[in-house]
């Protein structure tokens, strides 16, 4: 799996840096091309000469070469890499990554990298268990960074616990699985709708909802990681475009309808995660509405149901919908499953703590056409996305491949 792959290895200042030498040697042995970027402190733990010799490439530490002013471009490093593996990753570097601090080449490369990023944390057990580190890892995980969990054992501090960097063989195996994982949906074209739509009332006001798009973006990222060609039709959001995903920005339900229906013609499936307005103002004033002493009545008309339209013209495509409910959850979700001709529907309830808008977690139940239903425990949206995409995979290959309707 690693043959011919471009692996960028980031090394930070931890005693586990000595394991990075074994890691780099292992990657080269597997046939990968390896470049190494080190933080200034990492050089105190392992020499650039060792890493250069093992990687067969010069080591990058500084933004430029002080001798001749040659610029080390973090952008082209990120473009070169098929994966960026930061091992060992200290608590300090993880915190900086989580908060966008860019004070060394390793970090600027992280911020500009478009490829998948993996980190192998290495630190003392209390640092690893500290809420700051836990939160930083959670931020990174939710942005799509893969965490190679540290092991338990004797630490450099003399204490015993969780915080030891995973062994190089284990990291290589995970990287291998990572690339393998990419293959499962290779050649599949998937659409994901995400975020809230915005229906203008006048040039200043609009009707919208609380959706932030996090769930849809996590699904788009997961699909892309498994090799699918993903078109993300997105309402307004502040989220970054996941690696390898093509995004179409829309505002209104009508724009989302047009963009989604157009992309659907060539698609193998769609995941309808957007919170689409069901009503839009009948008339949009081209001037700011002025208040008066009277109450204001805005007449709304129905928007078109995108999922239902895709269901109507579904053919052999896989179609997945969402139902965010506040009450009669299952009955409502099953109704939508049938009405919109979906393969399965993902139900989440606003009554569940940790599920719903803006949060980084979700708690879902998947209800299938067969009537079968599976509930999953509360998990990060990224983990939830993996469960949903697992189900999509089984729809593509499984015996229950949908019939044309
Ligand atoms: N959906 C859509 N287009 C719409 C409305 C909904 O594609 N105009 C999709 C959503 O993305 C979701 C599913 O349909 O996958 C269910 O959306 P939801 O808003 O829960 O259901 P509605 O059909 O709008 O029903 P209600 O508002 O009555 O709950």
């Amino acid at each position: 799996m690693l043959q011919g792959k471009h692996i960028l290895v980031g090394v930070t200042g931890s005693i586990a840096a000595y394991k990075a030498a074994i890691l780099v040697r292992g990657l080269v042995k597997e046939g990968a091309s390896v470049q190494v970027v080190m933080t200034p402190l990492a050089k105190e733990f392992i020499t650039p000469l060792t890493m250069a010799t093992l990687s067969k490439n010069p080591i990058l530490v500084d933004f430029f070469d002080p001798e001749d002013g040659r610029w080390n471009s973090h952008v082209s490093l990120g473009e070169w890499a098929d994966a960026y593996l930061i091992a060992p990753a200290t608590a300090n570097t993880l915190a900086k990554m989580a908060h966008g601090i860019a004070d060394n080449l390793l970090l600027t490369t992280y911020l500009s990298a478009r490829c998948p990023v993996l980190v192998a944390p290495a630190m003392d057990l209390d640092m690893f268990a500290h809420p700051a580190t836990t939160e930083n890892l959670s931020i990174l995980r939710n942005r799509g960074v893969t965490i190679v969990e540290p092991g338990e054992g004797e630490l450099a501090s003399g204490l015993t616990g969780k915080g030891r960097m995973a062994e190089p063989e284990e990291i290589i195996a995970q990287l291998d699985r990572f690339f393998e994982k990419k293959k499962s949906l290779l050649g599949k074209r998937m659409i994901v709708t995400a975020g809230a739509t915005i229906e203008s009332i006048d040039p200043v006001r609009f009707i919208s909802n609380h959706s932030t798009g996090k769930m849809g973006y996590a699904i788009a990222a997961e699909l892309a990681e498994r090799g699918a060609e993903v078109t993300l039709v997105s309402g307004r959001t502040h989220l970054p475009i996941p690696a390898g995903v093509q995004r179409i920005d829309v505002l209104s339900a009508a724009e989302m309808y047009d963009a989604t229906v157009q992309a659907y013609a060539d698609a193998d499936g769609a995941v309808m995660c957007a919170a689409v307005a069901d009503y839009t103002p009948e008339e949009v004033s081209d001037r700011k509405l002025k208040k008066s002493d009277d109450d204001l009545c805005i007449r709304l008309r129905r928007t078109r149901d995108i999922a239902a339209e895709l269901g109507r013209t579904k053919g052999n495509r896989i179609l997945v919908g969402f139902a965010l409910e506040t009450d009669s959850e299952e009955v409502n979700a099953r109704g939508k499953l049938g009405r919109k001709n979906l393969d399965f529907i993902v139900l989440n309830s606003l009554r569940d703590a940790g599920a719903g808008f803006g949060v980084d977690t979700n708690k879902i139940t998947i209800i299938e056409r067969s009537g079968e239903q599976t509930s999953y425990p509360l998990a990060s949206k990224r983990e939830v996305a993996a469960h949903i995409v697992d189900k999509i995979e089984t729809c593509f290959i499984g015996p229950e491949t949908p019939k044309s309707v």
Side-chain angles (χ1 to χ4, degrees):
M1 275 297 152
L2 294 177
Q3 182 70 39
K5 291 279 187 278
H6 291 178
I7 310 295
L8 182 62
V9 176
V11 183
T12 70
S14 153
I15 186 67
Y18 78 92
K19 288 190 191 171
I22 306 163
L23 176 67
V24 166
R25 196 185 55 181
L27 290 169
V28 170
K29 245 180 157 175
E30 294 277 323
S33 296
V34 180
Q35 290 208 69
V36 179
V37 52
M38 296 171 81
T39 61
L41 191 61
K43 290 196 297 182
E44 305 293 327
F45 288 91
I46 186 143
T47 71
L49 181 60
T50 306
M51 299 307 280
T53 310
L54 292 171
S55 67
K56 306 183 197 301
N57 273 311
I59 299 309
L60 302 152
V61 179
D62 300 311
F63 289 112
F64 60 90
D65 186 331
E67 297 285 306
D68 59 11
R70 194 166 38 88
W71 180 247
N72 288 325
S73 166
H74 53 94
V75 175
S76 36
L77 271 177
E79 276 173 355
W80 173 85
D82 293 314
Y84 187 13
L85 168 63
I86 301 173
T90 57
N92 183 42
T93 290
L94 293 170
K96 289 180 179 178
M97 286 169 73
H99 297 282
I101 295 169
D103 61 0
N104 63 43
L105 186 65
L106 183 144
L107 290 162
T108 49
T109 305
Y110 163 65
L111 286 178
S112 50
R114 291 187 176 172
C115 62
V117 178
L118 296 91
V119 294
M123 65 199 75
D124 179 60
L125 78 161
D126 293 314
M127 288 174 89
F128 186 70
H130 196 282
T133 306
T134 311
E135 274 172 34
N136 289 333
L137 283 170
S138 160
I139 290 173
L140 293 174
R141 194 177 282 118
N142 284 305
R143 282 187 199 145
V145 172
T146 301
I147 318 289
V148 184
E149 286 294 321
E152 291 202 23
E154 201 182 314
L155 301 162
S157 57
L159 298 172
T160 303
K162 191 169 179 180
R164 264 170 87 106
M165 185 177 94
E167 293 307 316
E169 305 74 46
E170 209 179 307
I171 299 175
I172 292 172
Q174 185 143 346
L175 203 56
D176 223 36
R177 280 199 298 278
F178 184 80
F179 282 112
E180 198 175 38
K181 177 172 147 186
K182 279 188 104 165
K183 290 214 143 151
S184 56
L185 288 172
L186 209 61
K188 299 286 184 217
R189 281 166 296 193
M190 297 296 293
I191 302 169
V192 179
T193 66
T197 56
I198 284 183
E199 308 303 319
S200 291
I201 297 170
D202 68 13
V204 182
R205 289 89 165 202
F206 57 80
I207 298 172
S208 190
N209 59 68
H210 292 299
S211 170
T212 55
K214 283 184 176 176
M215 193 64 244
Y217 273 59
I219 293 171
E222 185 67 28
L223 287 165
E225 272 186 18
R226 299 195 198 187
E229 215 177 280
V230 183
T231 302
L232 176 61
V233 183
S234 173
R236 197 163 70 171
T237 161
H238 299 296
L239 300 172
I241 305 175
V245 167
Q246 191 215 340
R247 187 170 79 179
I248 301 174
D249 291 320
V250 296
L251 282 178
S252 65
E255 284 175 26
M256 185 171 274
Y257 180 97
D258 289 342
T260 309
V261 168
Q262 197 183 348
Y264 196 56
D266 295 324
D268 297 293
V271 184
M272 313 305 288
C273 206
V276 189
D278 290 324
Y279 295 92
T280 190
E282 199 161 62
E283 279 172 24
V284 182
S285 168
D286 53 9
R287 291 196 208 164
K288 186 181 173 196
L289 294 179
K290 288 291 169 195
K291 64 174 168 293
S292 71
D293 289 337
D294 295 332
D295 291 343
L296 175 67
C297 196
I298 299 172
R299 196 174 164 78
L300 303 175
R301 66 173 161 74
R302 278 292 307 269
T303 57
R304 285 180 293 183
D305 190 317
I306 311 167
E309 173 59 18
L310 303 197
R312 199 179 62 77
T313 53
K314 182 172 173 300
N316 285 323
R317 297 181 189 88
I318 303 299
L319 188 57
V320 179
F322 269 75
L324 175 62
E325 306 293 341
T326 56
D327 54 271
S328 309
E329 287 87 346
E330 263 180 58
V331 175
N332 285 333
R334 285 183 190 279
K336 288 172 192 179
L337 174 75
R339 274 199 307 281
K340 302 188 191 216
N341 194 20
L342 309 169
D343 289 281
F344 65 87
I345 192 155
V346 182
L347 164 65
N348 36 185
S349 170
L350 274 185
R351 283 199 282 190
D352 284 327
F357 298 122
V359 290
D360 290 325
T361 50
N362 203 357
K363 189 168 184 298
I364 61 158
T365 298
I366 290 181
I367 307 177
E368 295 172 62
R369 255 197 223 211
S370 61
E372 202 176 311
Q373 76 177 58
T374 319
S375 295
Y376 298 83
L378 184 75
S380 75
K381 284 192 170 160
R382 214 32 229 271
E383 284 163 289
V384 170
H387 292 311
I388 294 167
V389 177
D390 283 347
K391 188 60 79 185
I392 291 173
E393 272 183 21
T394 56
C395 287
F396 274 125
I397 53 173
E400 288 178 15
T401 305
K403 314 266 176 312
S404 301
V405 188

